[in-house]
């Protein structure tokens, strides 16, 4: 099932490897992350499946600016008139399409079957490079955005400089982006963890940034990669710290 309701008014969209989410409130829709460029048809179907039109898409809120999370954002902006939001530290990457360097070598994953599955799945959907977004709005840590679901930004850099989790406080839902994943897209390991070094701008910082999530009250974690995690956030954080870098 490419579209599944995972919480009241929150739908998960995925064609494998990467998740993005539609949040509905009243008549408005918010897209949290934008998948790969080739996920456009999935987005259109998902919006129609909710009985809505593309014009109902108020905004695209990005957890960070990587190619597999930003893919349909520019098209949503130009087609649906949706404003695109990103943390200010990822704004330049969003508008220029120039990715920041990673601190791990992608070569170290060449013996992993998962590495190839991820690579081929994303390449097929055009996520090998960032599709730039010409105009973005930026947010800062702690900011609550007046968008469907009233998401609050929790800046937790390391995967990228502007990586953020987004808390839907009223619903007890934390969209963790790539701050905290439940499946490693390069090794295939399941469970709460930070992203692999080969995809992070600063892995030690990504581990330290988990502290930004400490104390948040959320019963459901919705990651960029892997299955939803329902239960104790503190336990997810403990597991991620124990798993360490990869
Ligand atoms: Zn990702």
């Amino acid at each position: 099932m490419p579209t599944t309701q995972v919480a009241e008014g929150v739908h998960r969209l995925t064609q494998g490897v990467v998740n993005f989410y539609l949040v509905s409130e009243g008549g408005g829709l918010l897209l949290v992350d934008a998948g790969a460029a080739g996920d456009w048809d999935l987005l259109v179907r998902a919006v129609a499946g909710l009985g809505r039109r593309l014009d109902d898409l108020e905004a695209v809120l990005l957890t960070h600016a990587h190619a597999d999370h930003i893919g349909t954002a520019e098209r949503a902006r130009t087609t649906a008139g949706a404003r695109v939001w990103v943390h200010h530290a990822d704004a330049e990457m969003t508008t220029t399409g120039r990715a920041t360097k990673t601190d791990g070598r992608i070569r170290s994953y060449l013996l992993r079957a998962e590495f190839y599955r991820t690579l081929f799945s994303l390449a097929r959907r055009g996520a090998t490079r960032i599709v730039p977004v010409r105009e973005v709005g930026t947010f800062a840590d702690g900011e609550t955005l007046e968008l469907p679901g009233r998401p609050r930004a929790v800046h937790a850099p390391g995967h990228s400089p502007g990586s953020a989790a987004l808390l839907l406080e009223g619903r007890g839902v934390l969209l963790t982006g790539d701050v905290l994943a439940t499946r490693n897209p390069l090794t295939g390991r399941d469970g709460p963890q930070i992203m692999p070094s080969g995809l992070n701008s600063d892995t030690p910082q990504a581990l330290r940034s988990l502290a930004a999530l400490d104390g948040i009250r959320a019963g459901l974690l919705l990651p960029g990669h892997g299955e939803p995690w329902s239960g104790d956030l503190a336990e997810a954080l403990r597991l991620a710290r124990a798993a360490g870098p990869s």
Side-chain angles (χ1 to χ4, degrees):
M1 277 288 278
T3 306
T4 336
Q5 175 155 327
V6 285
E8 187 60 36
V10 185
H11 294 260
R12 174 192 182 195
L13 282 61
T14 184
Q15 303 196 83
V17 183
V18 64
N19 307 309
F20 56 126
Y21 301 90
L22 270 170
V23 176
S24 64
E25 185 176 284
L29 288 176
L30 169 69
L31 190 64
V32 174
D33 279 344
D39 286 329
W40 177 255
D41 290 346
L42 169 62
L43 172 60
V44 171
R45 283 200 308 275
V47 168
L50 296 177
R52 302 286 177 74
R53 301 175 317 134
L54 267 184
D55 287 350
D56 297 328
L57 196 59
E58 282 181 28
V60 181
L61 182 51
L62 300 172
T63 61
H64 63 298
H66 286 162
D68 51 334
H69 297 258
I70 198 179
T72 65
E74 176 65 359
R75 198 161 169 191
R77 190 184 72 82
T78 54
T79 310
R83 186 147 172 78
V84 181
W85 295 89
V86 68
H87 185 274
H88 59 76
D90 269 13
E92 195 184 319
M93 184 163 33
T94 306
T95 53
T96 63
R98 281 196 297 273
T100 46
K101 275 213 181 96
T102 60
D103 68 0
R105 286 165 179 267
I106 206 81
R107 270 215 304 268
S108 51
Y109 305 92
L110 291 181
L111 295 176
R112 309 278 194 158
E114 187 78 3
F115 170 83
Y116 295 96
R117 275 197 288 271
T118 290
L119 202 72
F120 289 132
S121 176
L122 291 180
R124 205 176 59 230
R125 285 179 278 150
T128 46
R129 59 176 200 89
I130 298 171
V131 182
V133 178
R134 281 165 168 270
E135 253 183 65
V136 293
T138 61
F139 60 78
D141 181 42
E143 206 173 307
T144 298
L145 293 136
E146 291 306 328
L147 298 171
R150 295 198 81 234
R152 175 155 63 88
V154 183
H155 184 217
H159 177 59
S160 73
S163 248
L166 301 161
L167 178 64
L168 308 180
E169 210 153 21
R171 306 184 197 198
V173 171
L174 184 66
L175 297 137
T176 59
D178 284 1
V179 173
L180 183 67
T182 59
R183 184 182 177 88
N184 189 313
L186 297 185
T187 69
R189 181 182 175 280
D190 284 313
Q193 58 197 294
I194 62 161
M195 289 290 278
S197 306
L199 300 175
N200 293 336
S201 61
D202 185 336
T203 299
Q205 186 186 39
L207 269 176
R208 287 196 304 276
S209 278
L210 290 175
L213 307 185
D214 280 331
I216 288 178
R217 293 165 67 99
L220 181 65
L221 309 186
L222 298 175
H225 303 275
E227 294 299 307
W229 166 278
S230 53
D232 194 9
L233 170 58
E235 172 67 0
L237 292 170
R238 190 188 67 73
L239 289 168
R241 286 175 173 123
S246 61

